[in-house]
Amino acid sequence: MKPARSFASDNNAGVHPKVLQAVSAANQGHVVGYGDDRYTQAAVRKFKQHFGSDIEVFMVFNGTAANTLGLKALTESYQAVICAEGAHIYTDECGAPEKFTGCKLIPIATSDGKLTVESVSHAYHGIGDQHHVQPRVVSITQATELGTVYKPREVRDLARFARQHNMFLHMDGARIANAAVSLGLTLREATRDLGVDVLSFGGTKNGAMGAEAVIFFDKKLCPDFLYVRKQGMQLASKMRFISAQFDALFTDDLWRKNAEHANRMAGLLRNQVRKIRQVKIMYRVEANGVFAQIPRRAIARLLKRYFFYVWNEEESLVRWMCSFDTTEEDVKQFAAFVAETVGV
Ligand SMILES: Cc1ncc(COP(=O)(O)O)c(C=O)c1O
């Protein structure tokens, strides 16, 4: 029999019971739609407690929209967004950022999912040249798509570089909770205080069900965002149900507990599978993902019981993700199955 939980994605997990309870509790009577409701006001208050009272926060349904619309607010179509070649915005959003912003995305090769000032500076050229797109945004993902986490200094350096070159720093924070707890920082310390201008704040991978937000740390950057969101088809009529989820994640530090747990499970998984001779851990396990190179012949056999993604077929690289609901037992059983399978 297949196990109830797999290691494919933190998106494959269900909804945290407390989030579900909050949705159910919000399911009382009628409230005004489109965000003019007490649940949204309460959630926004909590965002402000975390990030500062002078932010603007906009709920959306998914991470692709948070990224795409956040970038749209910062750019004109003749401008460009510099990102890692493995960035979700570049590889996994079906060209939505390009379609909606009109901007060229400039992908940069990385060894560990992270941009550096040096790598970004190579892509920063053609300024003032009418034939060339004009770099306007540096977009980083925290935690990265390879399970690594930018150090505070690395983010600060990129923010400074961006500012000095008339660019903005956008952070895809689909897993910002995992990154913040990994760094031992508050959400604000991990983002705004390091110079991030716009944050895609992820709720879904942290235990919500389709709750993401775009946060602007400078209100001047989003004078028209209400319209951008609506035109981008991301204005929820029953917004209270998105907002109630954030409220739940911010209550009693549920966001932190969920992220800490998922990270700890990934650490456990790393410790278990690295004992297996045929398994090579490819990147530092700093959040909730483990990337491993395993014998090609084992992949199909493993997939028969557990669903996960092959990240790079050529390199026989697989991704194993942990979630808020992954148990120690899940990890141990999976690791034992990997050991058994690769050894065959
Ligand atoms: C790094 C990253 N950014 C953004 C997203 C959000 O994507 P979606 O539009 O599926 O919510 C994901 C989801 O897998 C992700 O891994």
Side-chain angles (χ1 to χ4, degrees):
M1 215 183 52
K2 287 201 177 196
R5 285 174 292 276
S6 70
F7 290 83
S9 173
D10 29 11
N11 279 340
N12 286 200
V15 181
H16 192 281
K18 288 190 177 162
V19 173
L20 218 45
Q21 262 169 28
V23 171
S24 177
N27 195 26
Q28 301 291 329
H30 288 202
V31 303
V32 178
Y34 302 106
D36 210 358
D37 64 84
R38 63 180 181 279
Y39 301 97
T40 302
Q41 284 154 9
V44 169
R45 261 199 308 279
K46 287 197 172 157
F47 271 107
K48 290 186 172 179
Q49 281 162 10
H50 279 276
F51 290 103
S53 56
D54 53 345
I55 62 163
E56 288 286 355
V57 49
F58 300 88
M59 314 303 170
V60 293
F61 296 107
N62 62 38
T64 297
N67 287 336
T68 298
L69 299 181
L71 292 172
K72 166 99 184 126
L74 300 177
T75 51
E76 300 289 342
S77 60
Y78 54 85
Q79 294 174 326
V81 177
I82 300 172
C83 61
E85 66 182 357
H88 200 266
I89 57 171
Y90 188 67
T91 60
D92 276 317
E93 298 189 353
C94 194
E98 290 95 327
K99 175 180 160 73
F100 284 92
T101 65
C103 289
K104 181 172 176 136
L105 264 53
I106 302 178
I108 295 188
T110 76
S111 57
D112 56 0
K114 298 189 205 175
L115 296 179
T116 62
V117 167
E118 207 206 334
S119 63
V120 169
S121 59
H122 285 304
Y124 183 81
H125 57 86
I127 310 306
D129 177 349
Q130 65 182 332
H131 301 286
H132 205 279
V133 287
Q134 302 294 297
R136 184 61 164 155
V137 181
V138 176
S139 178
I140 59 176
T141 308
Q142 182 75 314
T144 73
E145 289 81 356
L146 296 179
T148 54
V149 172
Y150 284 88
K151 304 260 178 308
R153 179 183 39 78
E154 294 170 328
V155 179
R156 209 178 289 116
D157 288 351
L158 285 164
R160 189 177 309 118
F161 181 87
R163 195 140 303 139
Q164 284 166 351
H165 294 82
N166 196 28
M167 294 191 288
F168 298 111
L169 184 64
H170 165 259
M171 181 181 275
D172 174 350
R175 298 189 182 88
I176 187 58
N178 304 88
V181 304
S182 169
L183 294 168
L185 299 177
T186 65
L187 290 169
R188 177 178 175 143
E189 286 166 351
T191 57
R192 180 178 199 173
D193 290 355
L194 301 178
V196 173
D197 294 297
V198 178
L199 171 67
S200 298
F201 184 88
T204 309
K205 294 174 196 299
N206 191 230
M209 52 167 166
E212 309 282 315
V214 188
I215 306 179
F216 293 89
F217 297 123
D218 177 351
K219 289 185 183 198
K220 288 200 287 295
L221 296 179
C222 57
D224 302 324
F225 198 77
L226 285 176
Y227 312 107
V228 171
R229 178 176 62 178
K230 178 68 185 185
Q231 203 173 49
M233 296 163 279
Q234 287 283 321
L235 175 59
S237 54
K238 294 190 180 177
M239 196 183 292
R240 65 170 138 160
F241 297 110
I242 297 182
S243 304
Q245 295 180 59
F246 282 121
D247 201 324
L249 288 177
F250 287 137
T251 300
D252 298 332
D253 273 351
L254 182 61
W255 69 273
R256 180 189 296 283
K257 292 172 190 159
N258 285 351
E260 267 167 6
H261 178 82
N263 289 4
R264 196 163 60 75
M265 289 302 105
L268 179 66
L269 179 58
R270 173 206 45 211
N271 293 345
Q272 296 274 318
V273 295
R274 77 171 161 203
K275 295 183 210 149
I276 307 168
R277 192 172 44 82
Q278 300 92 327
V279 173
K280 185 171 170 203
I281 306 293
M282 297 302 285
Y283 304 106
R284 292 172 70 88
V285 177
E286 294 174 331
N288 61 325
V290 177
F291 288 75
Q293 197 170 46
I294 63 173
R296 201 175 303 278
R297 63 186 154 71
I299 294 177
R301 281 193 217 136
L302 285 172
L303 283 171
K304 276 200 183 129
R305 188 173 309 175
Y306 286 93
F307 180 47
F308 58 84
Y309 289 100
V310 178
W311 215 244
N312 184 323
E313 208 137 336
E314 246 169 59
E315 293 172 18
S316 201
L317 176 67
V318 298
R319 183 187 82 161
W320 296 325
M321 298 300 292
C322 295
S323 313
F324 71 88
D325 65 347
T326 305
T327 66
E328 285 191 16
E329 205 45 39
D330 292 338
V331 171
K332 287 179 185 160
Q333 278 174 7
F334 178 62
F337 186 59
V338 173
E340 183 191 315
T341 308
V342 299
V344 175

